[in-house]
Amino acid sequence: MAALPWRVRLEALGGLEPDAILGSLAAHTVPGAEQTDLGARTHSRLVSSRFGPQRVLLHFDEGGIDLTIENHLEAMAPSLTDHDELAALSATIRAWFDLDTDLEPIRRVLDADPMLTPLVASRPNLRVIGTPDPFQSAVTTVLGQQVSLPAGRTFAGRLVAAYGEPVQSGLRRFPEAKVLAEACAEELRAAVGLTSARAATVLSLAQAWLVSNDGLGMPTREALLAVPGIGQWTVDYLAVRFGDRDAFTPGDLVLRRALGGVTAKQATVRAEAWRPYRAYALMHLWTHTAYTRL
């Protein structure tokens, strides 16, 4: 018996900024693994579960997210297990989009900065976007180093086409750490179009991921910095995506331009006033500068 889709409503505490979220998702969508439709306000991708990869369809509005999970298993576990699986996937989505955070104390801190005041007023419910797949985020961040966002997406799409697992839903699963750790460096370089150094970084990152807690956890900041080709900006950026709400990327060029062309040191000093919510200030500045406009 074919399984039916699961549908659930996920409300955001205090509201959501759907167009800002979709702008960010569209800028980072990996061809073959994800689909973003700005007009329909939807995003679709595979999310890991104990039953295997599940395709989720997310529809965003000002109040939250309508979540549809397409289950492609022919036989399902008992209804209690189904309920637990739905709860687990829902929790993943809630964490991904920061739906449970009370934004009021964050707004009070950020609103004290005259530069952020109009941005907070325009998007009072802007949240920090995380990730449902930390390894994917780490690899795509490496692929996007020192190139444009479109170029980074092109590299990621080639990686998925060459090494991603096809599933029944029509999307490919982003390659797991074990797959990339065992890849031939020259074959990976040729398939994705990378330099030899960048291909070596991807392989080393995958190997570091496997070493971390036998592949069950994420590498520490120090372990990531020890990977050849990964620098301070990358680990700072990933800290934002991995859930540190005070994470900050002082070396980020978009941020520094948004602050008037300051140096990384000057950006660090300026951001002290935003503690402990520097990641939210980053999201406001990135959104205004790179994803949408007031």
Side-chain angles (χ1 to χ4, degrees):
M1 181 178 66
L4 297 175
W6 297 331
R7 295 185 176 89
V8 64
R9 174 66 177 176
L10 304 177
E11 295 287 349
L13 180 63
L16 206 60
E17 300 291 344
D19 294 332
I21 290 174
L22 286 158
S24 177
L25 289 173
H28 297 92
T29 290
V30 176
E34 302 172 284
Q35 296 173 348
T36 302
D37 188 327
L38 294 175
R41 285 179 146 187
T42 60
H43 179 78
S44 182
R45 64 158 294 145
L46 300 169
V47 174
S48 296
S49 79
R50 56 185 170 180
F51 290 135
Q54 300 291 333
R55 179 167 179 160
V56 300
L57 175 66
L58 312 173
H59 178 267
F60 299 88
D61 59 44
E62 285 72 10
I65 301 171
D66 290 321
L67 165 64
T68 301
I69 303 167
E70 299 176 9
N71 194 322
H72 300 287
L73 300 175
E74 291 299 318
M76 290 299 297
S79 58
L80 178 59
T81 304
D82 293 354
H83 176 78
D84 291 346
E85 178 70 357
L86 178 58
L89 286 166
S90 297
T92 295
I93 306 304
R94 297 194 70 87
W96 179 6
F97 295 103
D98 195 23
L99 299 187
D100 295 317
T101 296
D102 179 3
L103 296 175
E104 181 57 34
I106 300 168
R107 286 192 290 261
R108 285 198 298 267
V109 170
L110 302 188
D111 194 46
D113 186 321
M115 175 176 283
L116 295 179
T117 298
L119 306 187
V120 174
S122 177
R123 300 185 183 95
N125 296 316
L126 190 69
R127 299 172 184 274
V128 175
I129 300 174
T131 176
D133 186 340
F135 180 66
Q136 175 182 326
S137 293
V139 173
T140 55
T141 300
V142 166
L143 295 177
Q145 290 177 161
Q146 300 177 324
V147 299
S148 66
L149 279 173
R153 290 197 303 274
T154 296
F155 290 148
R158 291 173 184 167
L159 184 75
V160 167
Y163 296 97
E165 175 190 354
V167 297
Q168 188 175 344
S169 66
L171 294 177
R172 283 180 173 268
R173 188 179 191 180
F174 194 87
E176 296 181 308
K178 184 176 187 296
V179 172
L180 293 185
E182 296 174 350
C184 167
E186 178 55 28
E187 289 177 357
L188 186 147
R189 184 204 64 75
V192 182
L194 302 173
T195 64
S196 295
R198 188 59 49 85
T201 297
V202 172
L203 295 180
S204 296
L205 173 62
Q207 291 158 3
W209 212 272
L210 290 181
V211 170
S212 173
N213 197 23
D214 294 325
L216 299 178
M218 293 186 293
T220 64
R221 185 183 187 91
E222 292 72 22
L224 287 173
L225 284 171
V227 174
I230 290 183
Q232 194 67 46
W233 176 85
T234 298
V235 296
D236 287 342
Y237 175 82
L238 290 175
V240 175
R241 295 301 186 192
F242 292 170
D244 181 351
R245 297 314 187 218
D246 196 38
F248 185 61
T249 58
D252 185 75
L253 290 177
V254 175
L255 167 72
R256 288 162 55 194
R257 289 194 197 105
L259 293 177
V262 301
T263 66
K265 183 176 181 180
Q266 289 169 328
T268 299
V269 173
R270 176 67 181 276
E272 282 300 306
W274 306 335
R275 284 188 181 275
Y277 306 119
R278 293 184 300 174
Y280 289 91
L282 275 174
M283 289 304 299
H284 276 285
L285 292 165
W286 281 342
T287 298
H288 175 58
T289 305
Y291 303 142
T292 61
R293 292 284 183 174
L294 288 173

